[in-house]
mmCIF file of all heavy atoms in Angstrom:
data_model
loop_
_atom_site.group_PDB
_atom_site.id
_atom_site.type_symbol
_atom_site.label_atom_id
_atom_site.label_comp_id
_atom_site.label_asym_id
_atom_site.label_seq_id
_atom_site.Cartn_x
_atom_site.Cartn_y
_atom_site.Cartn_z
ATOM 1 N N ASP O 1252 195.215 72.678 76.926
ATOM 2 C CA ASP O 1252 194.942 71.874 75.483
ATOM 3 C C ASP O 1252 194.577 72.805 74.384
ATOM 4 O O ASP O 1252 194.339 72.398 73.255
ATOM 5 C CB ASP O 1252 193.820 71.047 75.946
ATOM 6 C CG ASP O 1252 194.209 69.925 76.769
ATOM 7 O OD1 ASP O 1252 195.268 69.622 76.986
ATOM 8 O OD2 ASP O 1252 193.240 69.543 77.599
ATOM 9 N N ARG O 1253 194.641 74.098 74.518
ATOM 10 C CA ARG O 1253 194.431 75.198 73.425
ATOM 11 C C ARG O 1253 192.997 74.758 72.782
ATOM 12 O O ARG O 1253 192.885 74.762 71.524
ATOM 13 C CB ARG O 1253 195.480 74.942 72.258
ATOM 14 C CG ARG O 1253 196.806 75.556 72.754
ATOM 15 C CD ARG O 1253 197.674 75.686 71.696
ATOM 16 N NE ARG O 1253 198.955 76.236 72.033
ATOM 17 C CZ ARG O 1253 199.863 76.646 71.039
ATOM 18 N NH1 ARG O 1253 199.754 76.410 69.776
ATOM 19 N NH2 ARG O 1253 200.962 77.191 71.452
ATOM 20 N N THR O 1254 191.989 74.591 73.620
ATOM 21 C CA THR O 1254 190.641 74.381 73.098
ATOM 22 C C THR O 1254 189.959 75.683 72.907
ATOM 23 O O THR O 1254 188.853 75.728 72.170
ATOM 24 C CB THR O 1254 189.942 73.400 74.015
ATOM 25 O OG1 THR O 1254 189.873 74.001 75.317
ATOM 26 C CG2 THR O 1254 190.516 72.024 74.011
ATOM 27 N N GLY O 1255 190.256 76.828 73.527
ATOM 28 C CA GLY O 1255 189.554 78.093 73.475
ATOM 29 C C GLY O 1255 189.802 78.708 72.083
ATOM 30 O O GLY O 1255 190.804 78.498 71.340
ATOM 31 N N GLY O 1256 188.807 79.488 71.633
ATOM 32 C CA GLY O 1256 188.898 80.248 70.549
ATOM 33 C C GLY O 1256 189.789 81.478 70.500
ATOM 34 O O GLY O 1256 190.359 81.773 71.481
ATOM 35 N N ASP O 1257 189.830 82.144 69.345
ATOM 36 C CA ASP O 1257 190.681 83.192 69.326
ATOM 37 C C ASP O 1257 190.359 84.347 70.222
ATOM 38 O O ASP O 1257 191.251 84.968 70.897
ATOM 39 C CB ASP O 1257 190.823 83.874 67.830
ATOM 40 C CG ASP O 1257 191.428 82.846 66.816
ATOM 41 O OD1 ASP O 1257 192.296 82.067 67.274
ATOM 42 O OD2 ASP O 1257 191.229 83.096 65.609
ATOM 43 N N GLY O 1258 189.083 84.628 70.392
ATOM 44 C CA GLY O 1258 188.597 85.655 71.324
ATOM 45 C C GLY O 1258 188.995 85.304 72.726
ATOM 46 O O GLY O 1258 189.594 86.202 73.526
ATOM 47 N N PHE O 1259 188.836 84.023 73.167
ATOM 48 C CA PHE O 1259 189.286 83.683 74.477
ATOM 49 C C PHE O 1259 190.752 83.798 74.580
ATOM 50 O O PHE O 1259 191.256 84.264 75.724
ATOM 51 C CB PHE O 1259 188.856 82.141 74.727
ATOM 52 C CG PHE O 1259 189.282 81.591 76.033
ATOM 53 C CD1 PHE O 1259 188.610 82.004 77.268
ATOM 54 C CD2 PHE O 1259 190.346 80.696 76.163
ATOM 55 C CE1 PHE O 1259 189.020 81.450 78.414
ATOM 56 C CE2 PHE O 1259 190.754 80.307 77.422
ATOM 57 C CZ PHE O 1259 190.218 80.579 78.543
ATOM 58 N N ARG O 1260 191.513 83.372 73.672
ATOM 59 C CA ARG O 1260 193.047 83.496 73.744
ATOM 60 C C ARG O 1260 193.455 85.000 73.856
ATOM 61 O O ARG O 1260 194.362 85.270 74.598
ATOM 62 C CB ARG O 1260 193.564 82.829 72.488
ATOM 63 C CG ARG O 1260 193.345 81.334 72.492
ATOM 64 C CD ARG O 1260 194.083 80.756 71.249
ATOM 65 N NE ARG O 1260 193.649 79.444 71.031
ATOM 66 C CZ ARG O 1260 194.106 78.545 70.113
ATOM 67 N NH1 ARG O 1260 195.112 78.981 69.282
ATOM 68 N NH2 ARG O 1260 193.688 77.361 70.084
ATOM 69 N N ALA O 1261 192.841 85.835 73.129
ATOM 70 C CA ALA O 1261 193.149 87.287 73.174
ATOM 71 C C ALA O 1261 192.872 87.842 74.693
ATOM 72 O O ALA O 1261 193.719 88.626 75.212
ATOM 73 C CB ALA O 1261 192.213 88.103 72.106
ATOM 74 N N LEU O 1262 191.705 87.448 75.223
ATOM 75 C CA LEU O 1262 191.457 87.839 76.587
ATOM 76 C C LEU O 1262 192.502 87.258 77.598
ATOM 77 O O LEU O 1262 192.895 88.046 78.464
ATOM 78 C CB LEU O 1262 190.003 87.419 76.928
ATOM 79 C CG LEU O 1262 188.905 88.090 76.331
ATOM 80 C CD1 LEU O 1262 187.548 87.353 76.737
ATOM 81 C CD2 LEU O 1262 188.765 89.457 76.695
ATOM 82 N N CYS O 1263 192.870 85.996 77.338
ATOM 83 C CA CYS O 1263 193.929 85.495 78.234
ATOM 84 C C CYS O 1263 195.169 86.255 78.089
ATOM 85 O O CYS O 1263 195.974 86.477 79.060
ATOM 86 C CB CYS O 1263 194.220 83.995 77.847
ATOM 87 S SG CYS O 1263 192.817 82.874 78.363
ATOM 88 N N ALA O 1264 195.563 86.645 76.820
ATOM 89 C CA ALA O 1264 196.892 87.339 76.548
ATOM 90 C C ALA O 1264 196.765 88.644 77.198
ATOM 91 O O ALA O 1264 197.745 89.090 77.884
ATOM 92 C CB ALA O 1264 197.063 87.494 75.027
ATOM 93 N N ALA O 1265 195.615 89.450 77.168
ATOM 94 C CA ALA O 1265 195.605 90.678 77.869
ATOM 95 C C ALA O 1265 195.659 90.565 79.385
ATOM 96 O O ALA O 1265 196.254 91.139 80.031
ATOM 97 C CB ALA O 1265 194.218 91.288 77.515
ATOM 98 N N ALA O 1266 195.020 89.448 79.891
ATOM 99 C CA ALA O 1266 194.981 89.258 81.375
ATOM 100 C C ALA O 1266 196.507 88.871 81.752
ATOM 101 O O ALA O 1266 197.014 89.305 82.815
ATOM 102 C CB ALA O 1266 194.107 88.073 81.745
ATOM 103 N N LEU O 1267 197.220 88.060 80.948
ATOM 104 C CA LEU O 1267 198.560 87.706 81.314
ATOM 105 C C LEU O 1267 199.606 88.893 81.182
ATOM 106 O O LEU O 1267 200.513 88.881 81.964
ATOM 107 C CB LEU O 1267 199.028 86.531 80.468
ATOM 108 C CG LEU O 1267 198.310 85.205 80.853
ATOM 109 C CD1 LEU O 1267 198.845 84.081 79.929
ATOM 110 C CD2 LEU O 1267 198.460 84.863 82.345
ATOM 111 N N LEU O 1268 199.218 89.809 80.235
ATOM 112 C CA LEU O 1268 200.079 91.072 80.282
ATOM 113 C C LEU O 1268 199.842 91.755 81.545
ATOM 114 O O LEU O 1268 200.930 92.337 82.053
ATOM 115 C CB LEU O 1268 199.635 91.922 78.961
ATOM 116 C CG LEU O 1268 200.060 93.340 78.933
ATOM 117 C CD1 LEU O 1268 201.621 93.249 78.665
ATOM 118 C CD2 LEU O 1268 199.386 94.133 77.728
ATOM 119 N N ALA O 1269 198.611 91.952 82.012
ATOM 120 C CA ALA O 1269 198.463 92.715 83.274
ATOM 121 C C ALA O 1269 199.182 91.852 84.418
ATOM 122 O O ALA O 1269 199.675 92.650 85.264
ATOM 123 C CB ALA O 1269 197.026 92.793 83.523
ATOM 124 N N VAL O 1270 199.127 90.603 84.432
ATOM 125 C CA VAL O 1270 199.845 89.871 85.366
ATOM 126 C C VAL O 1270 201.265 90.128 85.254
ATOM 127 O O VAL O 1270 202.104 90.278 86.325
ATOM 128 C CB VAL O 1270 199.425 88.270 85.347
ATOM 129 C CG1 VAL O 1270 200.422 87.487 86.369
ATOM 130 C CG2 VAL O 1270 197.957 88.109 85.748
ATOM 131 N N SER O 1271 201.828 90.143 84.096
ATOM 132 C CA SER O 1271 203.250 90.324 83.926
ATOM 133 C C SER O 1271 203.637 91.717 84.436
ATOM 134 O O SER O 1271 204.805 91.843 85.042
ATOM 135 C CB SER O 1271 203.563 90.183 82.476
ATOM 136 O OG SER O 1271 203.275 88.844 81.942
ATOM 137 N N VAL O 1272 202.873 92.677 84.120
ATOM 138 C CA VAL O 1272 203.179 93.994 84.563
ATOM 139 C C VAL O 1272 203.161 94.140 86.250
ATOM 140 O O VAL O 1272 204.142 94.673 86.734
ATOM 141 C CB VAL O 1272 202.232 95.030 84.004
ATOM 142 C CG1 VAL O 1272 202.474 96.528 84.634
ATOM 143 C CG2 VAL O 1272 202.539 95.169 82.530
ATOM 144 N N ALA O 1273 202.148 93.442 86.705
ATOM 145 C CA ALA O 1273 202.090 93.395 88.204
ATOM 146 C C ALA O 1273 203.248 92.735 88.858
ATOM 147 O O ALA O 1273 203.870 93.236 89.775
ATOM 148 C CB ALA O 1273 200.732 92.793 88.642
ATOM 149 N N VAL O 1274 203.561 91.576 88.293
ATOM 150 C CA VAL O 1274 204.759 90.776 88.788
ATOM 151 C C VAL O 1274 206.032 91.576 88.702
ATOM 152 O O VAL O 1274 206.922 91.544 89.570
ATOM 153 C CB VAL O 1274 204.721 89.460 88.126
ATOM 154 C CG1 VAL O 1274 206.067 88.628 88.703
ATOM 155 C CG2 VAL O 1274 203.577 88.633 88.489
ATOM 156 N N SER O 1275 206.152 92.263 87.498
ATOM 157 C CA SER O 1275 207.350 93.025 87.217
ATOM 158 C C SER O 1275 207.487 94.049 88.119
ATOM 159 O O SER O 1275 208.708 94.314 88.632
ATOM 160 C CB SER O 1275 207.277 93.529 85.778
ATOM 161 O OG SER O 1275 207.146 92.617 84.833
ATOM 162 N N TRP O 1276 206.404 94.723 88.495
ATOM 163 C CA TRP O 1276 206.519 95.845 89.391
ATOM 164 C C TRP O 1276 206.963 95.280 90.872
ATOM 165 O O TRP O 1276 207.772 95.860 91.529
ATOM 166 C CB TRP O 1276 205.112 96.527 89.629
ATOM 167 C CG TRP O 1276 205.156 97.548 90.716
ATOM 168 C CD1 TRP O 1276 205.609 98.851 90.629
ATOM 169 C CD2 TRP O 1276 204.721 97.340 92.062
ATOM 170 N NE1 TRP O 1276 205.509 99.535 91.914
ATOM 171 C CE2 TRP O 1276 204.984 98.571 92.758
ATOM 172 C CE3 TRP O 1276 204.182 96.327 92.691
ATOM 173 C CZ2 TRP O 1276 204.636 98.767 94.085
ATOM 174 C CZ3 TRP O 1276 203.902 96.484 94.038
ATOM 175 C CH2 TRP O 1276 204.178 97.649 94.677
ATOM 176 N N ALA O 1277 206.494 94.093 91.206
ATOM 177 C CA ALA O 1277 206.777 93.661 92.533
ATOM 178 C C ALA O 1277 208.203 93.223 92.521
ATOM 179 O O ALA O 1277 208.989 93.495 93.597
ATOM 180 C CB ALA O 1277 205.885 92.304 92.775
ATOM 181 N N VAL O 1278 208.801 92.640 91.444
ATOM 182 C CA VAL O 1278 210.127 92.234 91.411
ATOM 183 C C VAL O 1278 211.087 93.440 91.343
ATOM 184 O O VAL O 1278 212.147 93.492 91.972
ATOM 185 C CB VAL O 1278 210.466 91.381 90.139
ATOM 186 C CG1 VAL O 1278 212.012 91.095 89.855
ATOM 187 C CG2 VAL O 1278 209.819 90.065 90.216
ATOM 188 N N TYR O 1279 210.682 94.492 90.563
ATOM 189 C CA TYR O 1279 211.392 95.736 90.583
ATOM 190 C C TYR O 1279 211.411 96.422 91.920
ATOM 191 O O TYR O 1279 212.491 96.840 92.394
ATOM 192 C CB TYR O 1279 210.814 96.728 89.625
ATOM 193 C CG TYR O 1279 211.427 98.152 89.537
ATOM 194 C CD1 TYR O 1279 212.550 98.338 89.021
ATOM 195 C CD2 TYR O 1279 210.687 99.201 90.061
ATOM 196 C CE1 TYR O 1279 213.221 99.684 89.013
ATOM 197 C CE2 TYR O 1279 211.215 100.441 90.131
ATOM 198 C CZ TYR O 1279 212.544 100.674 89.562
ATOM 199 O OH TYR O 1279 213.074 101.968 89.637
ATOM 200 N N ALA O 1280 210.348 96.508 92.640
ATOM 201 C CA ALA O 1280 210.289 97.242 93.867
ATOM 202 C C ALA O 1280 210.754 96.418 94.952
ATOM 203 O O ALA O 1280 211.426 97.043 95.958
ATOM 204 C CB ALA O 1280 208.775 97.607 94.228
ATOM 205 N N GLY O 1281 210.621 95.038 94.853
ATOM 206 C CA GLY O 1281 211.125 94.331 96.053
ATOM 207 C C GLY O 1281 212.507 93.798 95.881
ATOM 208 O O GLY O 1281 213.141 93.288 96.931
ATOM 209 N N VAL O 1282 213.004 93.585 94.650
ATOM 210 C CA VAL O 1282 214.237 92.870 94.486
ATOM 211 C C VAL O 1282 215.301 93.922 93.628
ATOM 212 O O VAL O 1282 216.360 94.248 94.301
ATOM 213 C CB VAL O 1282 214.061 91.634 93.539
ATOM 214 C CG1 VAL O 1282 215.444 91.020 93.315
ATOM 215 C CG2 VAL O 1282 213.192 90.679 94.292
#
């Protein structure tokens, strides 16, 4: 619902960047 503030969104963005890199490595290494 986008109720979080800018700081929360920035933390979410950083976390999802880390998740994206991890998933990318798995797809690269496994597929």
